[in-house]
Structure formats: C-alpha cells, structure tokens
Amino acid sequence: MKRPVLFVCVQNSARSQMAEAFLNAICPEDFAAESAGLEPGDLNPIAVAAMAEVGIDISKNETKGVFDLKHEKDYSYVITVCDAASAERCPVFPGGARRLHWSLADPAALEGTWDDRLARTRQIRDQIRARVEAWCAEICTTPPARA
C-alpha cells in the first residue's frame, strides 16, 4: 500500500509542487505525494518552466491550502520545504505522521531577469530532486526510479 506524503511550503507555488512531482515520479510504488501551502498562491511559472526542462509537467497543478487538507487523511509523512520559521506554522496532522523539514530557498523570493531567476530555480529544483532521491534510496521498499 502506498504511504501518503504531504509536502508543505508557504504558497504551494514552487518547492512543494516540485517535491510532490519528483516523489511521485521517483517512488511511485511506495508513496502517493500531495502538496499544499500555508497561504496558497498562484503556481510559479518559473518553477513550471524548470520542471518542464526535466520532462515533468506541473502546469495544470492547482495550489491547495494545508488547512483545507488537514482533516482529509492520515499522512505517513509531512515534509516542510520552507524556512524554519514558516515550518513552525504548519499544523499538527492527525494520526502518526512523521514530520521532516527540508530547508530550501524560495523561488518566489528570487530577483533579477527571467533567465537569472530560472537559473537559480534550476538549482533549487535539482536540490529538491537530490533530497527526494536520497530519501527514497533510504526508505523505499522498491528501487527508486530516475526522474
């Protein structure tokens, strides 16, 4: 049975969306990932572009609020992918969810031209993929796929 995982960031516009997509691509037999935000905003077009470069389409994803999902299911893991202060605002979920925190830069906070922000978002995307791959290698019961 797939274990449900929830990735949480502030707006559910980039980091948590990328982490959800990578986990669903890398460990599809072990996990069913979702994502949500503390203050859901709009999907970040630079994150969409960065993910498209690695063959993952998140362009049709919708942002969701973490408080809307809080009572929907028992998650095995709730993984925050924002700064520590924002992670502290994440609600406690029912059941035995194990909380993990992966501190990652926010693509929404990047400044500069589109190309500058895309280059930095690629780095964040690659950090997220590396975290997901390492976590899957450690915890998955089936060999992780390459995303």
Side-chain angles (χ1 to χ4, degrees):
M1 184 172 118
K2 292 183 182 188
R3 293 173 281 178
V5 175
L6 178 65
F7 287 99
V8 179
C9 68
V10 177
Q11 295 184 332
N12 188 222
S13 65
R15 294 168 290 189
S16 56
Q17 294 276 352
M18 290 189 281
E20 171 189 358
F22 278 129
L23 185 58
N24 285 330
I26 294 169
C27 286
E29 302 300 319
D30 287 61
F31 297 108
E34 295 180 80
S35 64
L38 298 169
E39 302 163 5
D42 296 323
L43 198 57
N44 185 322
I46 294 177
V48 172
M51 292 300 284
E53 290 178 350
V54 295
I56 298 176
D57 181 7
I58 64 169
S59 66
K60 293 178 180 46
N61 291 11
E62 293 184 17
T63 61
K64 297 173 284 300
V66 70
F67 294 99
D68 297 331
L69 298 179
K70 185 174 180 200
H71 302 290
E72 284 193 7
K73 67 174 68 157
D74 288 338
Y75 292 97
S76 296
Y77 294 89
V78 175
I79 304 172
T80 52
V81 291
C82 46
D83 61 47
S86 295
E88 296 283 321
R89 296 173 28 212
C90 188
V92 173
F93 283 79
R98 184 163 175 218
R99 284 186 64 162
L100 303 174
H101 177 67
W102 300 347
S103 184
L104 297 158
D106 185 0
L110 301 175
E111 296 181 0
T113 66
W114 171 273
D115 289 340
D116 293 339
R117 292 180 292 143
L118 180 58
R120 182 67 181 111
T121 299
R122 286 181 186 122
Q123 293 172 345
I124 297 166
R125 174 203 65 205
D126 293 345
Q127 289 171 346
I128 292 169
R129 178 175 27 201
R131 287 299 293 262
V132 169
E133 287 174 344
W135 188 62
C136 286
E138 181 181 309
I139 200 164
C140 287
T141 57
T142 57
R146 177 79 177 139

